[in-house]
Amino acid sequence: MTKTAWVFPGQGSQAIGMGVDFQENPVAKHKFELAEKILGWSVLDICQGDETNLSHTLYTQPCLYVVESIIADLLLEKTTAPQLVAGHSLGEYVALYISGVFDFESGLRLVKKRSELMSKAAGGKMAALMKFDRSQLENLIDANPDVVLANDNSSGQVVISGTPEAVEQVLAEVNAKRKVELNVSGAFHSPLMAEASGQFQSVLEGVTFNDAKIPVLSNVEPSPATKGAELKQRLAQQMTGSVKWREIMEQLSQQEITETIEVGPGKVLTGLLKRACKGMELGTIGTMEALDKLGNG
């Protein structure tokens, strides 16, 4: 029996032209119009504009949320709902939306505030490490209170976050095949986001979280949950907490998921899943053409 999960990518998966092929679809058109009223700018214009602009946190996060939500809605029209959902960082908001925890507009207002706060964050640094010595890295992080493991993406890929000095110190000492400093404004998913997270809580508290119709694996706590209050508490910790994507992938296997579909632009999560979940059937739906093929298959 096929058991399916849908996963939603976060910042870094954005691409010029994403979502544009959906603009004539009635469902998509309505959501693009709703989004423009809430945001005060056009998602389609940003997605067809300058790459530097689209890559700015202020625009990236709302654009990804809107485009991924549209694709997920259209996918639900063509197939049955998945048994589990999860999203990487920003993608968790789409997972919560499609599972019925909040409506599209409420989710977008949260993402709008999140993107504003995160784009203003300053004084931090993030860096990605590929093919590294995990035990050595964990020891270095344990010895330095100003750096944390922000994204545990897979056994061979992580992102560290913290003060510039602390991140640079770890980069200088850790053994890794590749070390890449990320072009971000702040130390996302670290305690340095505490002030922004505090400001975000007041907005989060004003949004009603329903119980989920589909169990959600959260970034900070990768176990299936459906209770609205629990999912809200988990999301409240996300801005300062680590993205435990490696554990989410392990959980997919433990929950006997046989097929995972990445819903959104790119194949970043699919690449991670391919290496971590051997034998799992993987698919990506990021374009109208991919959706149409699904309908004709």
Side-chain angles (χ1 to χ4, degrees), residues 174-223:
V174 72
N175 294 321
K177 188 172 182 181
R178 283 192 71 204
K179 307 171 187 180
V180 182
E181 293 185 14
L182 303 184
N183 182 22
V184 292
S185 57
F188 302 160
H189 298 292
S190 85
L192 291 179
M193 296 299 293
E195 186 180 341
S197 181
Q199 292 175 50
F200 184 67
Q201 298 313 314
S202 59
V203 183
L204 191 60
E205 283 163 16
V207 177
T208 300
F209 273 48
N210 307 309
D211 288 348
K213 296 170 188 168
I214 307 164
V216 182
L217 300 174
S218 302
N219 286 192
V220 299
E221 184 51 62
S223 59

Side-chain angles (χ1 to χ4, degrees), residues 18 22-23 29 51 59 69 92 103 110 126 149-150 157 183 192 194 201 207 210 218 239 247 255-256 289:
M18 68 177 189
F22 294 97
Q23 62 185 316
K29 202 169 186 177
E51 192 171 345
Y59 297 114
S69 296
E92 187 170 324
D103 60 27
L110 286 175
M126 299 181 78
L149 189 63
Q157 185 196 68
N183 182 22
L192 291 179
Q201 298 313 314
V207 177
N210 307 309
S218 302
M239 208 179 279
E247 291 179 39
Q255 296 294 322
E256 299 179 336
E289 183 185 6

Side-chain angles (χ1 to χ4, degrees), residues 6 22 25-31 68-82 97-98 263 285 288 291-292 294-296:
W6 290 2
F22 294 97
N25 177 280
V27 171
K29 202 169 186 177
H30 176 62
K31 281 195 164 54
E68 290 178 22
S69 296
I70 287 168
I71 299 171
D73 281 334
L74 296 177
L75 186 55
L76 268 183
E77 289 181 358
K78 287 181 172 285
T79 187
T80 53
Y97 159 66
I98 207 65
V263 183
I285 302 288
M288 183 61 87
L291 263 177
D292 289 341
L294 189 73
N296 298 328

Side-chain angles (χ1 to χ4, degrees), residues 59-225:
Y59 297 114
T60 309
Q61 295 187 9
C63 285
L64 282 171
Y65 174 83
V66 171
V67 170
E68 290 178 22
S69 296
I70 287 168
I71 299 171
D73 281 334
L74 296 177
L75 186 55
L76 268 183
E77 289 181 358
K78 287 181 172 285
T79 187
T80 53
Q83 278 71 52
L84 271 179
V85 290
H88 191 288
S89 194
L90 179 278
E92 187 170 324
Y93 288 78
V94 191
L96 291 168
Y97 159 66
I98 207 65
S99 64
V101 172
F102 45 61
D103 60 27
F104 173 77
E105 297 97 314
S106 298
L108 183 54
R109 287 190 178 94
L110 286 175
V111 169
K112 178 176 184 281
K113 185 65 176 176
R114 182 185 193 262
S115 67
E116 289 168 355
L117 290 167
M118 289 177 76
S119 68
K120 288 176 190 169
K125 192 168 195 168
M126 299 181 78
L129 302 174
M130 277 72 84
K131 294 187 177 175
F132 57 96
D133 184 327
R134 185 172 284 267
S135 59
Q136 183 202 25
L137 176 64
E138 287 172 352
N139 289 335
L140 288 169
I141 288 173
D142 287 344
N144 195 325
D146 296 325
V147 65
V148 297
L149 189 63
N151 295 5
D152 191 0
N153 290 330
S154 70
S155 59
Q157 185 196 68
V158 296
V159 174
I160 58 173
S161 183
T163 64
E165 299 77 20
V167 170
E168 284 160 17
Q169 186 178 341
V170 171
L171 289 178
E173 295 179 29
V174 72
N175 294 321
K177 188 172 182 181
R178 283 192 71 204
K179 307 171 187 180
V180 182
E181 293 185 14
L182 303 184
N183 182 22
V184 292
S185 57
F188 302 160
H189 298 292
S190 85
L192 291 179
M193 296 299 293
E195 186 180 341
S197 181
Q199 292 175 50
F200 184 67
Q201 298 313 314
S202 59
V203 183
L204 191 60
E205 283 163 16
V207 177
T208 300
F209 273 48
N210 307 309
D211 288 348
K213 296 170 188 168
I214 307 164
V216 182
L217 300 174
S218 302
N219 286 192
V220 299
E221 184 51 62
S223 59

Side-chain angles (χ1 to χ4, degrees), residues 1-7 82-85 217 248-261 273 277-282:
M1 182 184 134
T2 301
K3 201 173 176 186
T4 304
W6 290 2
V7 294
Q83 278 71 52
L84 271 179
V85 290
L217 300 174
I248 284 175
M249 293 191 296
E250 289 171 359
Q251 190 66 224
L252 293 177
S253 296
Q254 287 169 26
Q255 296 294 322
E256 299 179 336
I257 294 295
T258 57
E259 175 191 50
T260 300
I261 298 172
L273 284 159
C277 303
K278 305 290 185 186
M280 188 179 287
E281 193 176 329
L282 303 173

Side-chain angles (χ1 to χ4, degrees), residues 14-16 18 46-47 50-56 59-60 63:
Q14 69 275 5
I16 290 295
M18 68 177 189
I46 296 293
C47 289
D50 178 68
E51 192 171 345
T52 305
N53 219 23
L54 176 60
S55 296
H56 193 296
Y59 297 114
T60 309
C63 285

